[in-house]
Amino acid sequence: MFKVFPLSSEPRNALIGMVAGVSLPTVLCLGHNVMGDGSPLTVGMLALSTTVALPLMSGALVFQWSRSRARLIAELERRRETEEKLSRAVYTDQLTGIANRFALERDFNAEPADGEKTCGALLLLDLDRFKFVNDTMGHDAGDQLLVMLANRLTSALSGVAGIYRLGGDEFVVVVGGTPSEGKIHDVIEVIEALFLEPFVLGAGKFWSCVSIGVARAADSDGSMSELLKQADLALYKAKEIPGNGHVFYTAEIAAEACRKLEIEHDLSRALAAGEFFLEYQPIVGVESRAVRSFEALIRWRHPLKGVIAPDVFIGAAEKTGMILPIGNWVMRTACLEASRWPAPTGVAVNVAGDQFKDRAFVPFVKQCLSEAGLAPGRLTIEVTESIFSVDADVICESLAELRSHGVRVALDDFGIGFSSINNLRRFPLDQLKVDRSFTRAMLANRRDAELVDIILQLGSTFQVSTTIEGIETEGQLEFARSRGVAEAQGFLISRPVSAADVMGILERGRVQSESLRA
C-alpha cells in the first residue's frame, strides 16, 4: 500500500515506522482500558506517547535503518562495478582491447561446461617485420598495426576460436574441442588470408606476413606453459619459411632445440678450454695458380662430439653474444699465425655483423696487426651482406677506417643477397667473392653462366677484384679464367689444412713456380 506514495525508500520506511509507532501505544492504551485502569494521568501519558514520542522514535529508527541499508546496497554495487572494471583491466589487453595472457591462463584452466576441451590446439602468431615498422614509421604506427591485426583476427575468427595477445607482436589463437588437423589448417588459412591485403597505417601502407607455430593439446602434458613452449619451438622453425609460414610441433623439433641448447651451453666454456682451432684454405691466382692468401676457417674440437663445423655453432654464438670473444680470438690467432708466413702471403678473416657493433673492434684489429707484426695489407676482412642490416653508418665508418689503415675488405657470398648493387655503391670494398652456388651452376646452363658474367662486370665497373669460391673441377677453373676472374678457391686447389700444413702448401707452390720458370 505504501509503495503508491511517490517517496524514496528512506521516507517511505520512516512513514511505515511512524505508523507502527502510533499503532503500538494505541494497542497498549486500549488494553489498559480493558484492564480497568483509566486515570486521566495515565491516559494522557499514553496519548502523548501515542501521538508524539513513539511515532517519532519509531520513524527515526526505521529511517536510519533504511538509510544504512541503502548505503550498504550502494556500496556493494560500487564494489561489484569496481571488481568488474578491475577484472576487465586484468584480463584485457589495454592496447588492442582483446583478451591478454592472464585471460588465456584463466580460460585454459576453466572447467568446460559442455565437457569439451577448452584448448584443443594453440596457434602462436608472430608478425613479420614488426621491428621494421617501429624503427622506420615510429611506435605509434606499430601500435596502430597491432590494433588493426587484432581487429582482423576478431572479425575473422569470432565464434570459431579464442584470440589473445601475449605482448609485443605475439598473438595466440586457441581452437577448442578436439579439432582435426584439417580444421586447424582451415583456421590457419583464414589467418594467412588476413595478410593478403596491406595494413593502411597513418604513415603509409605496410605489407607483412605471419609465422605460426602450432601445438596440439594431445601432444603436451596438459599444461599451458608446455603448450606455449611447444608452439614457440614450432614458431622458431616457421620463421625460417619465406612469406606466410606455419609449422606443427613435433618431437624432432624438440630434439633439435635440445641440441642447440647443448651447443649454446657448451660454447660458454669452449673458448676458455682451448677447444677452437683454425684451418686455412688457399686462395690462388687463376692464371698462375700461385697461392696469394689463405682464408681462416674456425673449427671446434668438442670433447664428446668431435670436430664441429662453424655452420653448426656460429648461429648459436651470435645468439648468445659469444661471437664477440670468439671472433676476437680468431682475429688475433689468424694474425699471429699469418705473421709466420712469407710475405706477401695474406690471410682472410670472416667478421660477423655483431662484431662491428663493438666500437672497440677496429682498434682491436689494429692492435692484433701490431702485436703480430703483420702488415695491414696482408689482412683481408671478409663480410657478408647480412652485416649491412646492423647499422649502415657504423659499418661504413668502420670499413672506411680499416681500409685507410691498409686492411683489405671483401664482400663474401656475393650474389645471393637482395641489395648487392646498392652495397657495392655505398660501402668501401676491395674484393668480391662470388658465391659457390654460382660456381656449381655456371657450367650447367647458359643463364647461370650469364649471371656470373654480370657479377664479374659489376666487379669491373666498381673497380674491385673478383674471387670465385667452390672450384672443384678443372672445367670450372678454366671457365673462371676465360671470364677474367682474378682468384679462385675450392677443393680442386686444396681442402682446408691445419696451420702446420700451410708452409708445406707454400713450399710446393714455390717449387712449382721455379720449375715453370726453368
Side-chain angles (χ1 to χ4, degrees):
M1 177 182 71
F2 291 98
K3 291 183 178 180
V4 300
F5 293 100
L7 299 173
S8 61
S9 60
E10 289 88 347
R12 185 171 63 245
N13 290 334
L15 180 59
I16 294 171
M18 291 176 70
V19 171
V22 171
S23 302
L24 179 61
T26 299
V27 171
L28 293 174
C29 186
L30 291 173
H32 190 274
N33 289 333
V34 171
M35 297 298 294
D37 185 8
S39 65
L41 180 61
T42 302
V43 172
M45 293 182 64
L46 286 173
L48 180 63
S49 63
T50 299
T51 57
V52 180
L54 283 176
L56 289 177
M57 291 176 60
S58 179
L61 289 172
V62 173
F63 179 83
Q64 186 63 35
W65 169 82
S66 179
R67 189 176 184 182
S68 298
R69 178 176 176 274
R71 288 177 177 175
L72 178 60
I73 292 174
E75 179 65 23
L76 291 174
E77 181 64 20
R78 283 195 296 270
R79 289 189 180 185
R80 185 186 65 81
E81 292 176 355
T82 301
E83 288 176 358
E84 288 180 355
K85 290 179 181 179
L86 289 174
S87 178
R88 285 195 297 269
V90 168
Y91 295 116
T92 302
D93 179 59
Q94 299 304 301
L95 174 64
T96 63
I98 65 174
N100 61 12
R101 186 188 187 104
F102 296 111
L104 176 62
E105 293 178 357
R106 177 200 62 193
D107 296 346
F108 186 91
N109 295 319
E111 289 292 335
D114 55 3
E116 287 284 343
K117 290 183 178 179
T118 306
C119 178
L122 186 147
L123 284 62
L124 182 59
L125 282 57
D126 184 84
L127 189 65
D128 294 351
R129 300 173 63 223
F130 177 67
K131 184 177 183 299
F132 173 81
V133 174
N134 280 334
D135 291 345
T136 60
M137 299 183 182
H139 288 274
D140 289 342
D143 289 346
Q144 187 182 2
L145 175 60
L146 295 175
V147 171
M148 293 182 69
L149 176 56
N151 291 338
R152 288 188 185 185
L153 288 170
T154 302
S155 177
L157 297 174
S158 180
V160 177
I163 303 163
Y164 307 83
R165 179 181 175 227
L166 295 189
D169 61 331
E170 283 193 336
F171 290 78
V172 163
V173 172
V174 172
V175 184
T178 310
S180 64
E181 189 164 321
K183 181 177 179 179
I184 298 173
H185 275 290
D186 290 341
V187 173
I188 291 172
E189 288 179 3
V190 170
I191 296 172
E192 292 179 345
L194 301 178
F195 292 83
L196 297 178
E197 296 294 329
F199 293 88
V200 183
L201 309 176
K205 291 183 178 180
F206 176 71
W207 295 84
S208 183
C209 297
V210 65
S211 300
I212 306 173
V214 184
R216 288 163 290 203
D219 298 330
S220 71
D221 62 2
S223 66
M224 194 194 76
S225 60
E226 176 65 17
L227 206 59
L228 277 173
K229 177 182 176 182
Q230 292 180 355
D232 192 53
L233 291 174
L235 176 64
Y236 187 81
K237 295 293 292 183
K239 288 180 179 180
E240 299 175 3
I241 302 173
N244 292 330
H246 64 272
V247 171
F248 282 72
Y249 170 83
T250 63
E252 289 74 18
I253 290 178
E256 181 181 350
C258 287
R259 288 193 295 270
K260 289 182 178 179
L261 188 62
E262 289 177 358
I263 289 292
E264 292 175 8
H265 177 268
D266 292 347
L267 272 175
S268 61
R269 54 144 189 87
L271 186 60
E275 295 173 5
F276 293 113
F277 67 97
L278 297 181
E279 289 188 333
Y280 297 90
Q281 187 172 33
I283 302 171
V284 302
V286 170
E287 293 290 347
S288 66
R289 293 207 183 187
V291 176
R292 294 185 178 180
S293 62
F294 290 84
E295 180 180 358
L297 302 169
I298 188 171
R299 304 288 187 261
W300 179 7
R301 187 178 287 107
H302 193 281
L304 300 177
K305 298 180 175 69
V307 175
I308 302 176
D311 58 346
V312 175
F313 65 85
I314 288 299
E318 291 176 335
K319 179 180 177 182
T320 59
M322 283 297 296
I323 192 65
L324 299 179
I326 292 174
N328 287 345
W329 176 86
V330 172
M331 181 64 66
R332 174 177 278 115
T333 304
C335 288
L336 288 171
E337 292 184 340
S339 67
R340 305 187 185 103
W341 307 339
T345 306
V347 64
V349 178
N350 293 280
V351 175
D354 285 344
Q355 292 178 259
F356 284 102
K357 293 179 182 178
D358 183 4
R359 285 292 186 176
F361 174 68
V362 172
F364 176 76
V365 173
K366 295 178 180 179
Q367 179 184 342
C368 290
L369 291 169
S370 177
E371 290 177 354
L374 185 70
R378 294 175 61 188
L379 173 64
T380 298
I381 297 289
E382 290 194 6
V383 298
T384 62
E385 290 179 292
S386 63
I387 71 161
F388 301 126
S389 63
V390 173
D391 187 324
D393 293 335
V394 170
I395 297 299
C396 193
E397 177 185 334
S398 299
L399 294 181
E401 185 176 351
L402 287 170
R403 290 185 79 230
S404 67
H405 190 64
V407 176
R408 302 178 76 249
V409 178
L411 183 56
D412 199 8
D413 300 334
F414 185 79
I416 61 174
F418 294 105
S419 55
S420 299
I421 296 177
N422 185 53
N423 290 335
L424 286 176
R425 293 176 55 202
R426 183 172 184 182
F427 299 100
L429 301 169
D430 298 285
Q431 184 180 8
L432 292 182
K433 298 191 73 175
V434 182
D435 186 70
R436 65 186 67 249
S437 62
F438 290 96
T439 307
R440 290 193 296 266
M442 64 187 181
L443 297 183
N445 58 69
R446 182 177 177 180
R447 177 177 175 275
D448 288 306
E450 290 175 347
L451 284 175
V452 173
D453 284 337
I454 291 172
I455 293 174
L456 297 178
Q457 289 171 15
L458 285 172
S460 176
T461 300
F462 289 96
Q463 299 180 337
V464 295
S465 64
T466 52
T467 300
I468 192 162
E469 298 179 293
I471 295 293
E472 297 181 359
T473 67
E474 289 289 347
Q476 291 172 340
L477 184 61
E478 176 57 28
F479 181 89
R481 187 197 62 76
S482 68
R483 294 306 197 270
V485 176
E487 297 178 341
Q489 179 181 358
F491 288 171
L492 175 67
I493 297 147
S494 173
R495 291 180 175 273
V497 300
S498 66
D501 292 333
V502 166
M503 293 304 297
I505 291 178
L506 291 174
E507 180 61 23
R508 286 196 298 272
R510 184 186 66 79
V511 172
Q512 288 176 359
S513 297
E514 289 178 353
S515 63
L516 288 174
R517 286 196 298 270

